[in-house]
Amino acid sequence: MTALLTAEFRKVLGLRYWWILGIAPLVVGLFCGALTLPVMRQVEDILGPGFAEAAAAAVGISFALALVFLFAALFGVVNTGGEYQHRTVITTFLTTRGRDLVIASKYATAALFGLLYCVIVEFVSALTILMFGGGFSGADLGGIAGVLGTGLLCAVLWALIGSGLGLLTGSMVGSVVAICAWVPFGELTVSLVLHGIGLGGVAQFLPAQVTWYALFGVVDLSGEAEMPVSWPLAPLVLIFWTALICGLGWWRTRSRDLT
């Protein structure tokens, strides 16, 4: 397993997509951290003390995390679906003792790179808030730490979702289009349809929505806000979606005829 992980990391580091996918969330993290806290301080007198730091974490850093989750999923797709596009998957399986170890190494690699993306973006976002906004108050450090910690978990899960989807479809392009269409548009459309037919309660458990419930659920911006899906149910639902897609990807890869 160690040899497979080493080979997988060398394969990823030998290509450029791993750092290209990290540029966009990093740049957004720089600007979000620098701009959100000063703006929120202007309305702190109206909304109450301590609001600025909590809002900066929940809005500024979370906006950067939105791109982290998306690009972590895209990394997972490219890392697995690319094997099918370039027809290297047959060689990869033939040089190992079984498909299970290959799949596990790909999932582990995706999770580690998703975590790496999130750590870097969170560090940059928090650092710029400290530099341009004057820092955090002690009362809000717990909520901010909760947002950052939940972001790390969600980034890992979305990287695994992308990786599982790439294995399930066997198509890098198709999976990339599916991820890019589903997150900003597809889930919203499905949610509106479900609400229209009286199944709005189901819509709140869709993966992108439950991600935000998990993220925002650890910080209370107004003292009265209630998440439709609260902790710890929200992250558990996201873990369920991750396990489902990764499980389907694992099953499809084991049963797919590669000849």
Side-chain angles (χ1 to χ4, degrees), residues 41-243:
R41 286 195 189 281
Q42 302 302 314
V43 296
E44 188 170 41
D45 293 338
I46 301 174
L47 297 173
F51 174 83
E53 289 85 357
V59 178
I61 295 177
S62 296
F63 186 69
L65 289 178
L67 284 186
V68 172
F69 303 154
L70 175 61
F71 281 86
L74 292 179
F75 173 87
V77 167
V78 174
N79 188 45
T80 54
E83 291 268 18
Y84 291 96
Q85 179 180 2
H86 299 292
R87 305 298 300 171
T88 59
V89 64
I90 298 177
T91 304
T92 301
F93 287 142
L94 288 177
T95 55
T96 58
R97 290 179 295 178
R99 298 186 183 186
D100 290 340
L101 291 178
V102 174
I103 298 169
S105 68
K106 287 191 174 295
Y107 283 162
T109 302
L112 288 174
F113 272 89
L115 183 65
L116 177 64
Y117 284 169
C118 196
V119 167
I120 294 174
V121 171
E122 286 186 350
F123 175 78
V124 170
S125 298
L127 184 63
T128 52
I129 287 178
L130 291 172
M131 291 174 60
F132 295 97
F136 303 112
S137 66
D140 291 300
L141 284 178
I144 293 168
V147 170
L148 298 178
T150 306
L152 294 175
L153 173 64
C154 292
V156 170
L157 294 178
W158 274 98
L160 290 172
I161 287 174
S163 190
L165 184 63
L167 291 177
L168 177 62
T169 63
S171 170
M172 184 180 74
V173 175
S175 297
V176 166
V177 172
I179 289 287
C180 292
W182 175 261
V183 173
F185 308 113
E187 186 161 316
L188 176 60
T189 302
V190 172
S191 179
L192 291 174
V193 171
L194 289 174
H195 278 87
I197 61 177
L199 296 176
V202 177
Q204 64 191 18
F205 292 103
L206 295 174
Q209 291 191 49
V210 83
T211 299
W212 295 116
Y213 295 146
L215 198 64
F216 284 100
V218 298
V219 56
D220 186 2
L221 298 180
S222 66
E224 299 178 354
E226 292 185 5
M227 296 292 107
V229 183
S230 60
W231 268 76
L233 181 59
L236 289 177
V237 173
L238 185 59
I239 291 173
F240 165 77
W241 281 112
T242 304

